[in-house]
Amino acid sequence: SGIAVAVATNMAPHNLGESIDAMCALAQNPDATLDELMKYLPAPDFPTGGVVTNKQDMKAIYRTGKGAVTLRGRATIEHVSKKGMDRDAIVISEIPYQTNKASLVEQIADHVNAKTIEGVSDIRDESDRDGMRVVIEIKRGHDASQVLNNLYKKTRLEVKYFVNNVCLVENKPTVMSLHDMLNEFIKFRVSTIERRSKFALEKAQDRKHLVEGYVAVLSDADGVVKIIRASKDGPSAAKQLRASHGLSDVQADAILAMPLRRL
């Protein structure tokens, strides 16, 4: 998510394994359709959990690079015992992305106090190391499912996450589809591997060139020592080595840089 120079972008998080599977499918078949890619990457995967309720809109979002994902917290209706009495309760175990739990609980309490949401007798945060658990007890005579629907409508238990897949492609802001984004990343990886391989090849070629110089003087180490001893300085020694053994500048300098015991 970001904004700069009048350009905004907001990309939904996705499951890494699903994203890689979709990328592999596109790499193997560059003509893969959106439906084929969505078999591997059906929808965003938000780190705080929740439920995407408008999966039918995902195809249009992936095709255009824009749209809204409706995300609900995961809530179930359970029976809880309190003072020997059973009553219904809404238990929230996951909340929508970028929603603060404490703020959500406070928002629900404000609605209850203002009587804009009725039927709630108590709100407790029972979260621990095993996970999130926010319990909303329902008053007798009230429908828990109706209260839950009101929570979705009036609080951040349900949010809209607006997708705007703007990327810089060759330094130009571009709204990208799912196919475009995966394809651009594949191109980036190909370019990275090519540059890495060229760098490794150049290092290997440089090393090979030095080794060829070492091999050239290997059989005449005494002659090399004599040339070095007879030269007044390094440049003149390098010149003599190039002339006598057919070495390049780099090879001659490498020979002169070697300790005598290595030579």
Side-chain angles (χ1 to χ4, degrees):
S1 178
I3 183 167
V5 293
V7 177
T9 185
N10 203 41
M11 293 192 176
H14 286 76
N15 180 279
L16 182 59
E18 293 176 350
S19 301
I20 292 174
D21 288 343
M23 204 173 304
C24 290
L26 184 60
Q28 292 168 5
N29 178 19
D31 297 324
T33 65
L34 181 57
D35 287 331
E36 290 171 336
L37 294 178
M38 288 183 66
K39 291 178 181 177
Y40 303 96
L41 194 66
D45 186 9
F46 295 92
T48 54
V51 180
V52 175
T53 61
N54 63 330
K55 289 185 178 180
Q56 70 279 2
D57 298 331
M58 290 312 306
K59 187 173 181 179
I61 293 173
Y62 281 146
R63 185 178 63 250
T64 62
K66 286 187 173 184
V69 179
T70 304
L71 186 64
R72 283 183 173 182
R74 191 176 298 277
T76 56
I77 297 173
E78 300 179 6
H79 294 290
V80 297
S81 296
K82 189 173 182 180
K83 297 180 181 178
M85 300 176 62
D86 289 341
R87 62 178 61 191
D88 289 338
I90 298 169
V91 178
I92 302 171
S93 56
E94 297 174 3
I95 59 176
Y97 186 53
Q98 294 178 332
T99 296
N100 181 272
K101 181 185 66 175
S103 298
L104 175 62
V105 172
E106 184 178 349
Q107 185 184 31
I108 295 172
D110 289 342
H111 276 289
V112 172
N113 293 332
K115 299 190 183 302
T116 51
I117 294 180
E118 296 183 345
V120 175
S121 62
D122 189 22
I123 306 172
R124 298 189 306 277
D125 183 2
E126 298 179 354
S127 305
D128 55 22
R129 67 178 66 184
D130 295 324
M132 180 183 299
R133 181 179 170 85
V134 176
V135 179
I136 302 170
E137 288 190 9
I138 307 302
K139 293 179 179 177
R140 287 185 173 278
H142 286 79
D143 185 1
S145 59
Q146 183 62 46
V147 175
L148 180 57
N149 286 333
N150 285 332
L151 290 174
Y152 287 139
K153 290 178 183 178
K154 299 179 180 180
T155 72
R156 285 190 58 82
L157 193 58
E158 178 178 298
V159 300
K160 283 189 179 296
Y161 183 90
F162 292 95
V163 175
N164 187 28
N165 293 333
V166 177
C167 307
L168 289 178
V169 181
E170 298 179 357
N171 292 322
K172 294 180 181 178
T174 307
V175 181
M176 304 189 74
S177 66
L178 174 63
H179 188 284
D180 293 337
M181 287 191 294
L182 292 175
N183 198 47
E184 279 298 319
F185 191 78
I186 290 172
K187 286 164 61 179
F188 163 73
R189 290 299 302 150
V190 169
S191 173
T192 301
I193 293 168
E194 284 179 348
R195 287 186 282 113
R196 184 177 65 199
S197 301
K198 287 178 181 177
F199 177 77
L201 177 61
E202 288 172 1
K203 285 189 67 176
Q205 287 173 333
D206 291 343
R207 176 62 182 166
K208 177 175 178 284
H209 184 62
L210 289 180
V211 171
E212 287 172 344
Y214 297 150
V215 170
V217 301
L218 181 63
S219 60
D220 189 25
D222 291 337
V224 171
V225 173
K226 288 179 181 179
I227 290 173
I228 295 173
R229 283 178 172 173
S231 302
K232 61 180 180 179
D233 53 27
S236 60
K239 184 177 180 180
Q240 288 292 328
L241 287 174
R242 290 196 298 270
S244 61
H245 293 80
L247 303 179
S248 68
D249 292 345
V250 173
Q251 290 171 330
D253 290 340
I255 297 298
L256 291 174
M258 291 176 65
L260 184 60
R261 59 189 176 86
R262 282 194 63 197
L263 182 62

